[in-house]
């Protein structure tokens, strides 16, 4: 999907330092200071416009959340949601998933959410998928022992390649749904993409997996 360029996004983000994390590296090992508590930290990688992460932060005030997104032009919409909701347990940051070890100490993150990640269907682009082993090793490096990733997508090919990549990595799968919206699963919070694709009749796939360390 093409995203409109918003040249004002950076200055809008600079206007809300209470919600936007700048220089995330400086908080490595000290995220509890940013939130002012020792609650567990869950991150979403590829947050997009922020519907999921704001819904999660609202539903779980005893968990700290960070929405991480490469693209300022979409994350600025998540910032608007956060300004409206005034959630003290949610921060947002512009960062590349490949660089997360610079921002978090091993064990600092308790869970990673991946929602409707770009599918990169061509084999030659497989390394760009956020469930490729190179990204799994980044998540393993920042998660606590037996930390989990929770992943949803409408894309069957991406789901199948993710199942393979996750099991080849030695992770333990604890939840798999091939049709989330027609399965028993409590507390689902929809993302923007989930709303769009499920309303057109697409099936939603979901898994949970833990590192075996
Ligand atoms: N999660 C949202 C949803 O379900 O509505 C957005 C899904 S969109 C298809 C994927 C998002 O992941 C895009 O906004 C993209 O910029 C972001 N993304 C892709 N690669 C990324 C990376 N390496 N690090 C951080 N975000 C990334």
């Amino acid at each position: 999907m093409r995203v409109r360029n918003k040249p004002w996004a950076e200055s809008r983000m600079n206007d809300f330092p209470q919600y936007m994390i700048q220089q995330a590296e400086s908080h490595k090992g000290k995220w509890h200071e940013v939130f002012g508590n020792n609650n567990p930290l869950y991150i979403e990688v590829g947050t997009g416009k922020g519907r999921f992460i704001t819904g999660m932060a609202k539903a779980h005030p005893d968990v700290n959340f960070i929405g991480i997104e490469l693209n300022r032009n979409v994350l600025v919409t998540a910032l608007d949601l956060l300004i409206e909701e005034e959630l003290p347990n949610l921060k947002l940051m512009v960062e590349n998933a490949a660089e997360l070890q610079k921002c978090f100490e091993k064990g600092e993150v308790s869970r990673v959410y991946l929602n409707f990640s770009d599918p990169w269907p061509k084999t030659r682009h497989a390394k760009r998928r956020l469930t490729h082993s190179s990204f799994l090793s980044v998540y393993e490096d920042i998660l606590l022992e037996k930390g989990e990733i929770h992943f949803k997508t409408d894309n069957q090919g991406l789901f199948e390649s993710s199942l393979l990549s996750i099991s080849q990595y030695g992770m333990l799968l604890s939840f798999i749904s091939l049709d989330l919206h027609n399965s028993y699963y409590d507390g689902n919070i929809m993302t923007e993409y989930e709303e769009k694709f499920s309303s057109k009749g697409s099936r939603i796939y979901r898994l949970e997996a833990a590192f075996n360390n």
Side-chain angles (χ1 to χ4, degrees):
M1 188 184 68
R2 284 181 75 81
V3 182
R4 190 164 58 88
N5 185 35
K6 297 174 184 162
W8 43 268
E10 187 166 2
S11 83
R12 174 118 178 111
M13 289 179 169
N14 291 339
D15 288 342
F16 291 91
Q18 68 275 41
Y19 296 134
M20 288 303 310
I21 299 292
Q22 311 286 357
Q23 293 166 336
E25 297 94 324
S26 65
H27 302 297
K28 183 173 178 171
K30 298 183 284 196
W31 285 99
H32 60 279
E33 291 175 8
V34 172
F35 289 96
N37 60 50
N38 285 317
N39 292 342
L41 176 59
Y42 294 178
I43 66 172
E44 183 189 20
V45 176
T47 288
K49 294 183 180 171
R51 175 175 171 171
F52 174 82
I53 200 84
T54 47
M56 289 294 284
K58 223 170 148 174
H60 304 281
D62 49 352
V63 176
N64 297 326
F65 292 88
I66 303 179
I68 298 167
E69 171 57 55
L70 261 184
N71 190 336
R72 272 194 178 75
N73 296 321
V74 289
L75 195 62
V76 76
T77 303
L79 174 60
D80 284 340
L81 278 181
L82 180 48
I83 293 166
E84 205 178 298
E85 300 285 354
E86 295 183 359
L87 299 165
N89 60 329
L90 173 59
K91 311 284 177 201
L92 301 171
M93 69 194 215
V94 177
E95 191 55 76
N96 185 343
E99 309 275 313
L100 292 180
Q101 291 118 317
K102 286 197 315 199
C103 310
F104 300 100
E105 206 74 84
K106 170 78 188 152
E108 237 184 333
V109 176
S110 298
R111 186 177 294 170
V112 173
Y113 290 101
L114 300 170
N115 291 317
F116 298 81
S117 309
D118 298 316
W120 295 110
K122 292 185 177 149
T123 308
R124 71 172 189 277
H125 292 147
K127 283 190 175 167
R128 299 184 191 177
R129 297 175 196 151
L130 291 182
T131 49
H132 185 269
S133 59
S134 57
F135 284 104
L136 296 180
S137 94
V138 171
Y139 312 142
E140 185 176 25
D141 272 357
I142 61 172
L143 276 164
L144 46 65
E145 254 180 57
K146 309 210 184 302
E148 294 176 358
I149 66 170
H150 292 195
F151 171 57
K152 291 194 276 194
T153 181
D154 64 303
N155 189 294
Q156 186 179 354
L158 178 64
F159 194 71
E160 287 170 359
S161 84
S162 302
L163 283 172
L164 196 64
S165 158
I166 283 167
S167 50
Q168 282 177 344
Y169 199 87
M171 295 179 72
L172 301 174
L173 285 151
S174 56
F175 177 100
I176 298 177
S177 172
L178 302 181
D179 190 359
L180 181 65
H181 293 186
N182 290 305
S183 307
Y184 176 73
Y185 175 66
D186 215 12
N188 185 45
I189 291 184
M190 289 221 262
T191 79
E192 279 85 1
Y193 271 65
E194 185 168 359
E195 170 71 46
K196 183 173 146 191
F197 290 115
S198 62
S199 70
K200 288 182 181 165
S202 299
R203 266 203 278 165
I204 305 301
Y205 302 84
R206 185 177 184 280
L207 67 79
E208 295 178 8
F211 288 96
N212 190 16
N213 56 7

